[in-house]
Amino acid sequence: MAADSDPESEVFEITDFTTASEWERFVSRVEEVLNDWKLIGNSAGKLSPEKGEYTSGTWGEKSQDINFADFKFCITHYFLKQLCEKDDGKNKFEEDAFPLAMQDLLCMNNDFPPRAHCLVRWYGIREFVVISPGTNCEAIISESKCNLLLSSISISLANSGCQLPIFVQIQQKWRRMYSGECQGPGVRTDFEMVHLRKVPSQYNHLSGLLDIFKSKIGCTLSPLPPVNIAIRFTYVLQDWQQYSWPQQPPDLDSLLGGEVGGVEFGKLPFGACEEPISELHLATTWPHLTEGIVVDNDVYSDLEPLQAPHWSVRVRTAENPQCLLGDLLTEFFKLCCRKETTEEILGRGLTEDESKENNDISSALSKLTEPATTVPISKLSVSNMVHSARKHIRRHRRIDEAPLNTDILHSVLLYLFPDAAVEKLSENSKNKTAQTKSCGKAEQDKNSDYNLFLQLKSAPTDSLTYWLALCVCLVNYNHGGLRAVAHLWQEFVLELRYRWENNYLIYGLAPGPPDLRCCLLHQKLQMLNCCIERKRARDEARKVSEGSKERERKVSGGCQSSRPVPESATATSPASSSTREGSVGKSWDSWSDSEDEFFECLSDQGEMEAARADGEKDGSKIKAEGRLHPCNNMTLLNSTEPLYIPVTQEPAPMTEDLLEEQSEVLAKLGTSAEGSHLRARMQSACLLSDMESFKAANPGCVLEDFVRWYSPRDYVEEEVIDEKGNTVVKGKLSARMEIPGNMWVEAWETARVIPARRQKRLFDDTKEAEKVLHYLAVQKPADLTRHLLPCILHAAILKLKEEESVEDIPSVRKCIQQATSQASKLLHPTNQDLKKLEEFINQLMAMETIITQARSLKAKFSISESEKGEDTNELKKFASSLLEEPEVVVIGAGQGSTGSIIHGLFLNAQRAALLAPLDEDLSHDRKPTGGSNKVPDFPPPAGREILLRTCVPRPAPYSKALPQRLFCVLMREEFRLAGAFSSDTSFF
């Protein structure tokens, strides 16, 4: 009981019977947003916007979601950025100044902005707030809901003191219907709108609209203050039939006859397949008129377009027009996602003679195992037997079953291997490398973009890989798609195998080891060419040596001198060089497969002279072998003999995948002592070979001699004083060479005296060539596409640069530069991001579209590159501006040179539209509608916009004079009135 009587234990409760309704919460939420965005207070005092600022300036917006019960709304604040930032806080506001929106209603600097929010165009305001239904919410259609929202914003404006106009979007969204309000100190502006499907006949002209405006403002003053009028009529030109299409016609004599824009293999097509400019809009404007100056009623109109003081033009481009280069790239890129192998693709259509094919192949393999008594060795190769089997199959195969037409296939192969067209293939291929290199240099001098392949990791434009990419792309697009690509790739690989087995160099590849700056496929082809070069050199050197030995046996009866004769003196004919001799005796085995370029004249002469000198001095001395030439004036440390540079094996060329594989193997050896030792031995194979060659060329040499030639930094020389007091120079190995267990010392001790020609090959060209051919043969069309994609994008960028240079479009030029740097980042990684590459291809397509649009406009405005002058320069500038700006002013309006051309465009279109039906029936009277023989210069305007403005007191004659505005839109299927009517609320 004591606890109950304690006053502190009593609970004091207050029951609030003023719980807010959903409507009150909504009003409060709107006020909170306005406060958060700092839109409270007077916004007047800012400078009037400059002419055209609504178009050139930057517009900003910020949005937030609010709820009315369970109905979601989106409130958005639109504002002209530059203006807000430039004038914010710099002007002192007057207490009784009109709100900024009221001042904008009468401003004439930004009438009819070409690119702005519809409310900006209709009311001329620079800052406002819009409340619209949220996404997936039904429209506000009922009148009671509209009134509820309007009353909500009215209360919010009054409570918060915000002087920005707030609009509510009502009716269906496509109708763009808004109703709003703006409040200021003692003033209010109501924004109202009317939207109809058809134009009422009594309001189809200026006089009827003036009647509406006057009746709405209800001014009783007499005379009525003048009404300021601005009028814009828009005429649309859609008919381009009388103008030539600026696309190159097809070359009916070429392989791609009938394909629009395609000329030949090796050149990418370019241009639009349809008209890229769909419409031209001419806006004729009368910016400052007053009532009484102009007459426009249902009987007569003074508003002739040729008399308008201002003309402006905009073009409407076709949406995603079909373009040749874009289609080519898109279809090629689609191959990246295919999963089929070449066998699966070609096997679908080549099953007719499957049994015969198996028999032919099996017989080919059996023939290889039979004694070669009557068949030359050169004929006994798998590729030759497969070739004969395939020819046999082709005889029984219907022509239409080939995925790629035979004539086209032959043309492509001749384009890729032009040396095959020469009767004596080997004669042409001997000088192939020099020709290709000189062509490449000439191309490099002509084209500053030659080295673009280094950025894109593709291949030089004068290389076989680049040509192959173009051919695969064109074959895929024009001649059979995926199956044709698989067929071409199969033939390409067979051609490479044929060249490998017959010692024919591959055309279109620079000499030397694989260039790691190029794509992997190009590296593989270069690797195969290296193998062919070394095999060729080895076979030719062997034949030269055998020929010289045979002649010396006949002449001297077995002289000990068996030096090889220079290739230039005794090389066999090109035709016979491809035929292998069947008898290879012991001398064949004594030759390793690594003679490559060691038997050049300089090498042989040095070796000969050294052997002869040694024989003369001391017959019992070890014979030196494999000398190239003396190394400056150096002598061996332990004798007075000159130090000779030996003939060494070239290091094995490597492609980037082999280097990566080697790195992984070396990394897996770990960091243990044994692993490190094994890693060092694997990396010193070339060092050991060079040591053996050095020992053979310099009998009696020591490690210090080798280091002096091979790594001079590791041989340290210093001046010392000997026993006699003389200063002498003595040398020794560097500190790292004297570390116990040094790999160089170990390799020197194990190195034998073996010249390079008798050493085990560092580079097994036969094995490496077969690895390359196998790698190429198992590539799927999708893999091939990924390999060639950098080359195709390289070619596309060069094509865009070439076409842009003709049209001179700065925006496209800048985009191409950005695209090049972007492509270099996308194409260098091994695992390419296909999604980003697809987006990149879309960027290239957009650039092609812009160039075709510029070309189309140039054709329509009859701009010729040969003509020069002020008018031509003005037309060029005008045409280029049409693609970069939303609307371009025509200098001189209808009386200028550009205006005359536009007038001619409309006049020709009118004649074509009105006279064409009459030509079909000559018996009809040739009078157009209206009874006049004269064809009107312009069609009826597609849209008419009339802006009426005045400043009158409302609602009473003694009220403040406030701005009134009515914007009228009259179109064929739309009639819109957007009115802003201000009233004085001081005493009302």
Side-chain angles (χ1 to χ4, degrees):
M1 293 299 292
D4 293 339
S5 62
D6 188 358
E8 294 183 0
S9 63
E10 295 181 2
V11 178
F12 181 73
E13 293 184 359
I14 297 177
T15 304
D16 185 8
F17 295 99
T18 60
T19 305
S21 64
E22 294 291 348
W23 174 65
E24 290 171 316
R25 291 195 183 98
F26 176 72
V27 172
S28 176
R29 185 67 184 122
V30 172
E31 294 175 17
E32 287 178 11
V33 173
L34 295 178
N35 275 287
D36 292 342
W37 289 346
K38 298 180 181 179
L39 304 180
I40 306 304
N42 195 346
S43 60
K46 294 185 179 180
L47 299 175
S48 297
E50 298 178 0
K51 191 171 184 63
E53 190 172 2
Y54 283 5
T55 303
S56 61
T58 303
W59 286 85
E61 62 177 85
K62 46 188 174 183
S63 301
Q64 195 166 331
D65 291 335
I66 57 175
N67 289 331
F68 191 129
D70 58 348
F71 194 93
K72 182 179 291 186
F73 287 93
C74 179
I75 181 169
T76 307
H77 175 215
Y78 297 90
F79 55 95
L80 189 59
K81 266 187 177 179
Q82 293 178 343
L83 201 63
C84 291
E85 295 170 0
K86 180 175 66 177
D87 297 323
D88 189 20
K90 290 186 180 181
N91 298 290
K92 294 183 179 180
F93 305 140
E94 300 178 8
E95 291 185 2
D96 296 333
F98 290 158
L100 191 65
M102 287 191 180
Q103 300 175 30
D104 291 341
L105 293 178
L106 297 178
C107 182
M108 300 182 183
N109 289 339
N110 289 279
D111 293 342
F112 314 111
R115 182 172 54 195
H117 192 281
C118 61
L119 291 174
V120 177
R121 187 177 184 87
W122 296 335
Y123 296 115
I125 51 181
R126 69 185 98 170
E127 189 174 9
F128 54 95
V129 176
V130 175
I131 299 177
S132 56
T135 309
N136 300 325
C137 293
E138 60 182 10
I140 309 299
I141 298 177
S142 68
E143 186 176 353
S144 60
K145 290 183 178 179
C146 294
N147 291 333
L148 182 62
L149 284 174
L150 287 173
S151 63
S152 302
I153 65 171
S154 181
I155 294 174
S156 299
L157 288 173
N159 292 342
S160 63
C162 176
Q163 294 189 8
L164 292 183
I166 298 183
F167 294 88
V168 176
Q169 185 170 15
I170 58 178
Q171 304 297 326
Q172 294 85 354
K173 288 189 176 182
W174 63 267
R175 297 185 66 180
R176 296 190 298 173
M177 289 281 289
Y178 297 88
S179 186
E181 184 176 322
C182 177
Q183 293 185 11
V187 293
R188 185 183 73 242
T189 300
D190 296 312
F191 298 92
E192 304 171 3
M193 201 169 292
V194 173
H195 183 235
L196 302 175
R197 287 288 189 132
K198 297 293 182 182
V199 181
S201 57
Q202 66 271 32
Y203 304 129
N204 198 22
H205 41 73
L206 176 60
S207 59
L209 297 172
L210 279 170
D211 293 340
I212 291 181
F213 187 54
K214 293 176 182 178
S215 63
K216 180 64 180 176
I217 60 178
C219 182
T220 57
L221 292 180
S222 183
L224 187 69
V227 177
N228 183 279
I229 304 171
I231 300 175
R232 168 172 286 205
F233 285 2
T234 301
Y235 300 88
V236 178
L237 177 63
Q238 296 175 312
D239 182 17
W240 304 108
Q241 295 178 1
Q242 68 274 21
Y243 299 100
S244 61
W245 183 34
Q247 177 61 272
Q248 293 295 327
D251 184 1
L252 300 178
D253 296 329
S254 70
L255 291 172
L256 302 180
E259 297 293 341
V260 177
V263 180
E264 58 182 300
F265 286 109
K267 292 186 178 180
L268 294 179
F270 189 89
C273 297
E274 56 185 294
E275 177 55 63
I277 304 295
S278 59
E279 294 178 356
L280 182 142
H281 293 197
L282 169 65
T284 59
T285 307
W286 293 263
H288 304 293
L289 298 174
T290 55
E291 187 180 2
I293 291 181
V294 64
V295 177
D296 180 45
N297 53 39
D298 55 352
V299 178
Y300 175 80
S301 176
D302 289 332
L303 302 174
E304 288 293 333
L306 288 175
Q307 305 303 322
H310 293 284
W311 276 21
S312 57
V313 175
R314 69 166 68 189
V315 292
R316 177 172 291 178
T317 57
E319 187 175 355
N320 298 324
Q322 182 185 4
C323 293
L324 293 170
L325 181 61
D327 284 359
L328 194 81
L329 295 177
T330 303
E331 292 301 319
F332 184 77
F333 184 74
K334 288 179 181 177
L335 295 181
C336 293
C337 303
R338 302 300 293 263
K339 305 292 185 182
E340 301 92 337
T341 63
T342 303
E343 291 76 12
E344 291 172 349
I345 296 167
L346 298 181
R348 296 170 185 170
L350 306 179
T351 56
E352 182 179 345
D353 293 324
E354 185 177 357
S355 58
K356 293 183 179 180
E357 182 177 359
N358 292 336
N359 291 336
D360 289 328
I361 298 298
S362 63
S363 63
L365 296 175
S366 64
K367 287 180 181 179
L368 289 175
T369 60
E370 294 175 359
T373 53
T374 59
V375 182
I377 292 181
S378 61
K379 301 296 183 182
L380 289 180
S381 67
V382 174
S383 81
N384 282 332
M385 303 310 297
V386 172
H387 267 293
S388 62
R390 290 176 72 254
K391 288 179 181 177
H392 181 71
I393 294 172
R394 282 172 179 167
R395 293 193 194 103
H396 297 84
R397 187 195 304 161
R398 293 194 300 271
I399 297 177
D400 58 353
E401 286 184 353
L404 187 59
N405 182 276
T406 305
D407 294 335
I408 294 175
L409 176 62
H410 289 167
S411 300
V412 174
L413 292 177
L414 280 178
Y415 171 75
L416 295 175
F417 304 100
D419 53 347
V422 184
E423 290 182 1
K424 293 184 178 181
L425 183 61
S426 57
E427 292 180 4
N428 188 44
S429 62
K430 281 177 69 175
N431 300 323
K432 180 248 16 147
T433 303
Q435 291 175 357
T436 305
K437 190 172 182 180
S438 62
C439 292
K441 286 183 178 178
E443 179 74 14
Q444 187 172 0
D445 293 337
K446 293 178 183 177
N447 189 358
S448 61
D449 296 320
Y450 178 82
N451 290 326
L452 182 62
F453 75 92
L454 300 178
Q455 290 180 257
L456 305 181
K457 198 172 174 60
S458 60
T461 53
D462 57 354
S463 66
L464 175 63
T465 314
Y466 186 88
W467 302 334
L468 175 65
L470 296 179
C471 290
V472 169
C473 197
L474 289 167
V475 163
N476 174 63
Y477 186 63
N478 291 317
H479 301 290
L482 180 65
R483 298 187 69 238
V485 169
H487 187 187
L488 173 61
W489 178 241
Q490 184 185 59
E491 295 289 340
F492 182 82
V493 175
L494 285 173
E495 175 68 22
L496 295 182
R497 176 167 286 281
Y498 178 80
R499 286 173 176 260
W500 155 246
E501 294 183 350
N502 292 276
N503 289 357
Y504 294 141
L505 290 173
I506 302 172
Y507 189 89
L509 296 176
D515 189 347
L516 301 181
R517 302 171 299 176
C518 298
C519 63
L520 181 59
L521 181 61
H522 187 74
Q523 296 176 39
K524 292 291 185 183
L525 296 179
Q526 285 184 305
M527 173 69 87
L528 183 59
N529 224 25
C530 288
C531 297
I532 296 173
E533 285 178 353
R534 298 206 180 185
K535 179 184 174 188
R536 237 178 122 188
R538 185 175 66 251
D539 290 350
E540 289 177 1
R542 174 177 55 81
K543 291 172 185 176
V544 168
S545 178
E546 288 178 351
S548 63
K549 287 179 181 179
E550 183 66 26
R551 283 194 300 274
E552 289 173 359
R553 269 196 298 270
K554 292 180 180 178
V555 174
S556 60
C559 181
Q560 292 182 355
S561 177
S562 59
R563 63 181 179 88
V565 180
E567 179 182 355
S568 58
T570 61
T572 57
S573 66
S576 63
S577 65
S578 62
T579 306
R580 297 182 181 177
E581 297 295 333
S583 58
V584 284
K586 186 176 180 181
S587 60
W588 171 265
D589 295 329
S590 66
W591 285 85
S592 81
D593 297 334
S594 61
E595 291 301 333
D596 46 10
E597 62 268 26
F598 304 153
F599 282 86
E600 297 173 353
C601 296
L602 179 63
S603 160
D604 296 334
Q605 289 173 357
E607 192 175 338
M608 253 189 333
E609 292 169 0
R612 187 177 298 130
D614 290 341
E616 290 173 355
K617 291 181 180 179
D618 186 6
S620 62
K621 192 175 181 181
I622 299 176
K623 179 183 175 183
E625 295 184 82
R627 286 179 171 177
L628 190 59
H629 58 77
C631 181
N632 300 327
N633 296 322
M634 297 172 63
T635 59
L636 299 179
L637 294 176
N638 295 341
S639 68
T640 58
E641 291 293 323
L643 190 151
Y644 282 87
I645 295 177
V647 175
T648 58
Q649 293 195 57
E650 289 291 332
M654 303 280 277
T655 57
E656 63 182 26
D657 60 330
L658 294 178
L659 286 172
E660 186 177 347
E661 181 181 337
Q662 186 184 64
S663 300
E664 291 178 359
V665 171
L666 295 176
K668 288 179 180 178
L669 294 177
T671 57
S672 63
E674 183 180 355
S676 301
H677 185 74
L678 183 57
R679 185 186 301 109
R681 290 194 61 181
M682 292 177 63
Q683 293 175 321
S684 62
C686 185
L687 175 66
L688 180 63
S689 170
D690 292 342
M691 285 181 172
E692 291 180 342
S693 300
F694 188 83
K695 282 186 175 183
N698 299 279
C701 62
V702 293
L703 176 60
E704 285 80 358
D705 293 319
F706 177 76
V707 171
R708 288 163 63 205
W709 163 66
Y710 204 82
S711 179
R713 292 183 180 180
D714 285 309
Y715 188 77
V716 182
E717 291 182 339
E718 55 184 9
E719 294 182 353
V720 297
I721 300 175
D722 60 3
E723 298 173 354
K724 298 179 180 180
N726 298 325
T727 302
V728 295
V729 177
K730 285 192 175 182
K732 64 176 182 177
L733 294 177
S734 64
R736 79 182 184 102
M737 287 292 178
E738 295 178 346
I739 297 175
N742 183 273
M743 182 54 63
W744 284 54
V745 176
E746 181 181 335
W748 181 260
E749 292 174 354
T750 58
R752 297 173 295 172
V753 182
I754 305 176
R757 66 179 186 178
R758 289 202 293 268
Q759 294 174 7
K760 180 181 179 182
R761 282 187 288 175
L762 292 176
F763 177 63
D764 190 340
D765 51 70
T766 306
K767 177 182 176 182
E768 293 301 326
E770 289 299 333
K771 285 171 63 176
V772 170
L773 290 170
H774 175 73
Y775 176 87
L776 298 177
V778 299
Q779 293 296 300
K780 300 178 182 177
D783 301 327
L784 174 65
T785 305
R786 290 192 183 95
H787 282 304
L788 296 179
L789 193 58
C791 296
I792 282 297
L793 295 182
H794 178 189
I797 290 175
L798 290 181
K799 187 68 175 178
L800 286 170
K801 282 190 173 184
E802 175 189 343
E803 300 293 337
E804 186 278 328
S805 64
V806 176
E807 306 303 329
D808 190 20
I809 309 173
S811 60
V812 175
R813 192 180 310 122
K814 183 178 179 181
C815 289
I816 292 175
Q817 293 174 354
Q818 295 174 349
T820 303
S821 60
Q822 182 183 359
S824 64
K825 297 175 183 176
L826 292 176
L827 297 175
H828 271 281
T830 307
N831 297 323
Q832 299 166 352
D833 190 334
L834 294 183
K835 186 175 181 180
K836 290 183 178 179
L837 284 172
E838 186 176 9
E839 294 174 357
F840 178 76
I841 290 175
N842 291 334
Q843 294 178 24
L844 300 183
M845 293 168 62
M847 287 182 247
E848 180 188 17
T849 302
I850 294 174
I851 294 174
T852 56
Q853 291 166 355
R855 188 162 294 168
S856 176
L857 287 174
K858 183 183 287 187
K860 290 170 177 53
F861 285 97
S862 304
I863 300 174
S864 174
E865 295 294 336
S866 58
E867 298 179 6
K868 293 184 178 180
E870 292 184 4
D871 291 345
T872 304
N873 293 334
E874 181 184 327
L875 281 174
K876 286 183 179 179
K877 184 178 179 181
F878 177 78
S880 62
S881 299
L882 282 174
L883 296 175
E884 297 176 359
E885 300 177 14
E887 194 169 270
V888 183
V889 175
V890 179
I891 300 176
Q895 310 306 319
S897 57
T898 306
S900 301
I901 293 178
I902 296 172
H903 179 205
L905 293 175
F906 277 96
L907 185 59
N908 292 336
Q910 282 293 98
R911 288 176 177 171
L914 296 178
L915 296 182
L918 299 178
D919 291 338
E920 297 175 2
D921 189 358
L922 297 176
S923 62
H924 289 182
D925 188 9
R926 290 179 176 269
K927 289 185 179 181
T929 306
S932 173
N933 288 324
K934 184 181 178 182
V935 176
D937 292 0
F938 292 87
R944 291 172 292 164
E945 296 170 289
I946 299 175
L947 176 55
L948 308 176
R949 279 176 292 221
T950 190
C951 196
V952 299
R954 286 184 75 224
Y958 52 82
S959 301
K960 294 179 183 177
L962 300 174
Q964 319 293 330
R965 176 184 174 116
L966 180 65
F967 192 93
C968 315
V969 180
L970 293 80
M971 300 176 67
R972 181 176 298 176
E973 295 184 354
E974 181 179 1
F975 176 72
R976 184 185 299 273
L977 300 178
F981 304 103
S982 306
S983 57
D984 187 353
T985 58
S986 296
F987 304 103
F988 300 94

